[in-house]
């Protein structure tokens, strides 16, 4: 113990620098997680919030009821669709756009960087309003364009399946910009000597892309993949603003289900159980990705 205190005293300055961050994380992340775990084993609602004596411990009943809830199971399926379709699209499109934009340094390429980045900093409500007009089945711009080419109008937000993919398209469009910037930063860190050597050896542009660019974007791809995956598992703002989970809960995500349960029905214990399940899924998926990344790194080494 004395050695531990001596080591802490010796290296106190680094600990002092990270202390504010650790304290904030402890207060606003670790403690709320512990509180949510406790609440998930109770029947806490508005009555319990007003008077703690009304709170009763009900064990794992919330979790048993949760997995028997058809709406929750549907929200898990919807979230799976969002992740499986949305994450690869965001990663691939943001990488492709970054590679194309990185080819030039003129004002035109810089302008396109701004254009692609702007959606990511635009308020989701403003985005939802614009896309709501675009998706309007009667006078929306998309259906007007389809009508110009002789196609029938599509009810973009009025069918469970088509509404999911409509939300995915909007979310992908909004997410590309930030990830594009990350890929651009990684691209600009690749030494030009690699490409010069490849050109001397007679490598084509495609070979340079597949043998130099994409492999050296490995860490950036991993970072974008894991952050995008976590974000899409928590897919919330788009269905809340655009569809509110309708039609027939066809666009309800797990995060939206938790929100509706906790803040619309005031069933905090049940909502906390849902949040613990969502948290566990994020942890498991993150660990799997880190394991896969480590395995790939070992193979490369």
């Amino acid at each position: 113990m004395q050695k531990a205190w001596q080591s802490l005293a010796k290296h106190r300055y680094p600990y002092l620098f990270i202390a504010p961050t650790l304290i904030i994380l402890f207060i606003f992340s670790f403690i709320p997680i512990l509180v949510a775990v406790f609440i998930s084993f109770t029947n806490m609602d508005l009555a319990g919030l007003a008077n703690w004596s009304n709170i009763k411990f009900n064990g794992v009943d919330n979790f048993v009821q949760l997995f028997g809830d058809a709406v929750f199971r549907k929200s898990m399926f919807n979230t799976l669709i969002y992740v499986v379709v949305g994450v690869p699209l965001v990663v691939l499109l943001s990488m492709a756009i970054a590679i194309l934009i990185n080819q030039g340094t003129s004002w035109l390429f810089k302008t396109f960087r701004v254009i692609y980045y702007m959606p990511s900093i635009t308020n989701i409500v403003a985005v939802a309003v614009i896309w709501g007009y675009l998706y309007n089945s009667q006078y929306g711009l998309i259906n007007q364009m389809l009508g110009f080419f002789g196609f029938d109008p599509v009810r973009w937000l009025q069918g469970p399946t088509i509404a999911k993919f409509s939300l995915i398209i909007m979310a992908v469009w909004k997410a590309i910009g930030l990830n594009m910037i990350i890929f651009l930063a990684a691209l600009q860190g690749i030494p030009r000597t690699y490409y010069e050597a490849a050109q001397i050896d007679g490598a084509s542009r495609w070979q340079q892309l597949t043998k130099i660019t994409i492999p050296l974007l490995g860490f950036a791809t991993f970072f974008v993949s894991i952050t995008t995956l976590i974000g899409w598992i928590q897919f919330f703002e788009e269905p809340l603003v655009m569809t509110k989970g309708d039609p027939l809960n066809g666009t309800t995500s797990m995060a939206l289900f938790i929100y509706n349960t906790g803040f619309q029905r005031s069933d905090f214990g049940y909502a906390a159980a849902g949040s613990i399940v969502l948290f566990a899924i994020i942890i498991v998926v993150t660990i799997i990705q880190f394991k896969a990344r480590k395995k790939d790194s070992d193979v490369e080494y």
Side-chain angles (χ1 to χ4, degrees):
M1 179 63 71
Q2 185 177 359
K3 290 183 177 180
W5 281 110
Q6 290 175 349
S7 176
L8 183 63
K10 181 179 179 181
H11 303 287
R12 61 183 179 276
Y13 294 111
Y15 289 115
L16 287 175
F17 277 111
I18 66 173
T21 301
L22 292 178
I23 292 171
I24 291 173
L25 284 174
F26 182 78
I27 295 174
F28 294 104
S29 294
F30 187 68
I31 291 179
I33 290 172
L34 293 179
V35 172
V37 171
F38 171 77
I39 293 175
S40 67
F41 294 104
T42 69
N43 66 340
M44 186 174 180
D45 53 13
L46 281 178
L49 194 62
N51 186 352
W52 289 6
S53 62
N54 293 320
I55 300 176
K56 296 181 180 179
F57 182 80
N58 57 9
V60 296
D61 289 352
N62 286 333
F63 295 93
V64 173
Q65 182 183 350
L66 196 66
F67 287 102
D69 190 333
V71 177
F72 181 73
R73 294 200 303 270
K74 193 167 189 178
S75 72
M76 293 182 70
F77 173 76
N78 294 338
T79 302
L80 178 64
I81 297 297
Y82 292 140
V83 169
V84 170
V85 178
V87 173
L89 282 176
V90 170
V91 175
L92 293 175
L93 289 176
S94 57
M95 180 190 293
I97 292 171
I99 291 173
L100 290 173
I101 291 179
N102 193 55
Q103 298 300 314
T105 58
S106 67
W107 65 269
L108 183 61
F109 289 91
K110 294 178 180 179
T111 302
F112 273 107
R113 293 184 189 185
V114 175
I115 291 173
Y116 280 111
Y117 183 67
M118 284 180 64
S120 63
I121 59 173
T122 305
N123 184 275
I124 182 61
V125 176
V127 170
V129 170
I130 298 300
W131 279 85
Y133 283 115
L134 292 176
Y135 282 141
N136 189 279
S137 58
Q138 295 181 354
Y139 51 82
L141 178 61
I142 297 176
N143 277 339
Q144 293 292 330
M145 294 176 63
L146 291 176
F148 178 79
F149 291 103
F151 295 99
D152 294 329
V154 179
R155 305 175 73 179
W156 296 101
L157 299 176
Q158 298 174 18
T161 302
I162 190 66
K164 273 195 285 286
F165 288 98
S166 299
L167 292 180
I168 289 172
I169 292 171
M170 182 185 73
V172 168
W173 171 82
K174 193 175 187 302
I176 284 175
L178 180 60
N179 295 309
M180 177 201 69
I181 296 297
I182 296 172
F183 278 120
L184 275 173
L187 284 167
Q188 292 172 5
I190 300 176
R192 299 302 304 173
T193 53
Y194 291 175
Y195 297 101
E196 293 170 358
Q199 290 171 1
I200 293 172
D201 290 338
S204 64
R205 283 187 174 272
W206 177 253
Q207 289 174 323
Q208 292 177 40
L209 175 65
T210 56
K211 302 298 183 181
I212 299 175
T213 305
I214 294 179
L216 291 178
L217 288 177
F219 183 78
T221 304
F222 169 71
F223 177 79
V224 169
S225 298
I226 197 168
T227 54
T228 303
L229 181 60
I230 292 173
W232 281 76
I233 292 176
Q234 302 177 86
F235 196 64
F236 171 69
E237 294 175 328
E238 288 80 359
L240 173 67
V241 176
M242 290 290 292
T243 63
K244 294 181 172 55
D246 293 327
L248 303 174
N249 293 308
T251 59
T252 300
S253 63
M254 292 180 67
L256 183 58
F257 173 86
I258 295 167
Y259 170 81
N260 289 335
T261 303
F263 294 97
Q264 301 296 326
R265 292 164 41 192
S266 300
D267 193 346
F268 303 123
Y270 197 51
S275 68
I276 296 304
V277 173
L278 180 61
F279 177 75
I281 291 173
I282 292 173
I283 293 297
V284 170
V285 169
T286 303
I287 291 174
I288 291 173
Q289 280 200 304
F290 272 101
K291 291 288 186 181
R293 170 65 181 174
K294 185 176 184 299
K295 185 177 180 181
D296 290 342
S297 299
D298 292 340
V299 170
E300 291 172 3
Y301 179 76

